[in-house]
Amino acid sequence: MPNFKAKSIKELTLPFCSNGVEFLWKAYNENVILIFTKVEEESFFLQVKQDNQFFIIKADKHSKPSKITYLQKALLCFKENFCNEIVSESFAFKKNALDKKIPLIAYDFNEILEKIQNYKKIYIEIGFGSGRHLLYQAKTNQDILILGIEIYTPAIEQVAKLALNQEINNILLIQNDARLLLSVLQKQSIDKIFLHFPVPWDKKPHRRVMSEAFSKECARVLKSNGKFELRTDSYEYFNYSLGIFLEFENPKFDIKKNEDLEISSKYEDRWKKQNKNIYDLIVYNLNSFDQERSIIDFNLQSIHFSKEQLKLLRNFKNQTFKYKDFFLHIENFYITSDSLVVKIAFGAFNKPEHAYIFLGDKCYFVFKAPFKTLENLKAIEEFKKIIYYENRLFS
């Protein structure tokens, strides 16, 4: 992560603007200063932390911008205007460096939400690997947008290059967690979801993509005639997934064994040579589970605090609240001129999120609101109850 060290920093007179960088306000505690920074369309925190006799200036890792050049530009601006005696640095800002986007790759979910408006049909492939199946689907169904989600950056870049070489443009790839992608999509917006040869995690089933919560998200985003397709060489994974979908009210299934598809991955080819069995589970007629999330939201506008109440809030620092399917951890508080900023971790145990919330005469997420997963919604609702609605602080 780009950063530098300085022996001392000058007085932070904010707001400050220079060369397209804005330092607007600060929040601090006994260890860290957070500086609210804007570059172009993005906002994030620069973090100033004293380490022995030096100050370390870097990005706050939970709010860092999507483009590294924005961070480099902000660091350069802060170094030139607020620092004395630079000890070391591990960044070098070059105009236009590392800022070029690779076509067919989405760098945030907003790009996906914008592009899907242009298509009537949408498929999702989770963990597309070498991209053989994804590219086959794209070539065969040129009027359909194929969304590919993968955690490995080299795989994403390689498949994007293959698609460009083959003049395929109806795909969009993103590096992220599939469960988060589903959470931001509108209900009944997807025609098919492919999950081919996921890591089975037979000894650690809690790490599987497939879960009760995941199946409900699939049901929510799939159209009434939409299908979920699992292909796996693990009978345990196949049976586990079947059991989860059998919990739905009236699901329908197509089950196949050792079915040859038009296209296969190199791993599938290898397993077939080893005479391993391949299982297909195709699920449809799933009822939606969107009712619970519609009764709660992320609205913080009804919360207000006086200065005296804000002082008491800091008693909640480093407290964790655990529930059946989600958690809330109030990590830290930072002081502004007349308000507080609280940092929280929350959501599902296997995919936690972080957020900064501004608390004062108005309360709001400092950056964009979290993804609307059911676990996140429940956690934020509990946060509101703990710090305000239940009136625990002032009873």
Side-chain angles (χ1 to χ4, degrees), residues 12 18 25 61 82 138 162 164 167 209 307 323 354 360 369:
L12 298 175
S18 178
W25 51 269
K61 67 178 181 179
F82 291 103
L162 289 172
L164 291 170
E167 298 184 348
V209 173
K307 289 185 178 181
Y323 306 87
H354 290 79

Side-chain angles (χ1 to χ4, degrees), residues 15-109:
F16 176 88
C17 303
S18 178
N19 296 324
V21 178
E22 299 177 76
F23 302 125
L24 298 178
W25 51 269
K26 67 179 179 180
Y28 61 91
N29 58 24
E30 62 275 14
N31 299 313
V32 172
I33 302 172
L34 299 177
I35 301 171
F36 186 83
T37 304
K38 289 191 71 174
V39 181
E40 301 293 340
E41 73 278 8
E42 291 205 45
S43 57
F44 53 95
F45 278 138
L46 277 190
Q47 182 186 103
V48 180
K49 185 174 182 179
Q50 190 163 9
D51 179 22
N52 297 323
Q53 70 268 39
F54 304 127
F55 289 89
I56 303 173
I57 296 88
K58 59 183 181 179
D60 164 67
K61 67 178 181 179
H62 292 122
S63 67
K64 63 179 184 285
S66 61
K67 299 177 182 178
I68 195 169
T69 48
Y70 290 174
L71 172 57
Q72 292 171 323
K73 193 173 183 178
L75 288 172
L76 179 63
C77 182
F78 191 86
K79 183 182 76 169
E80 291 178 343
N81 292 281
F82 291 103
C83 296
N84 295 316
E85 297 186 66
I86 304 304
V87 177
S88 65
E89 63 180 70
S90 60
F91 79 97
F93 175 69
K94 296 180 180 179
K95 191 175 182 180
N96 297 326
L98 302 175
D99 203 22
K100 294 181 179 179
K101 295 178 62 175
I102 300 175
L104 306 181
I105 297 178
Y107 292 86
D108 59 47
F109 289 138

Side-chain angles (χ1 to χ4, degrees), residues 112 116 119-126 133-134 136-138 140-149 170-172 181 185 189-194 222-223 226-227 229:
I112 289 179
I116 62 177
Y119 288 85
K120 292 183 178 180
K121 288 189 175 182
I122 303 164
Y123 292 174
I124 296 175
E125 180 156 357
I126 298 169
H133 180 264
L134 183 144
Y136 170 81
Q137 289 292 335
T140 308
N141 305 282
Q142 297 183 17
D143 60 332
I144 297 174
L145 176 64
I146 315 294
L147 298 179
I149 188 158
N170 60 320
I171 70 169
L172 192 59
L181 172 62
L185 296 173
S189 59
I190 304 301
D191 295 87
K192 283 187 181 181
I193 299 173
F194 299 102
L222 283 170
K223 295 178 181 177
K227 293 182 178 181
E229 299 190 9

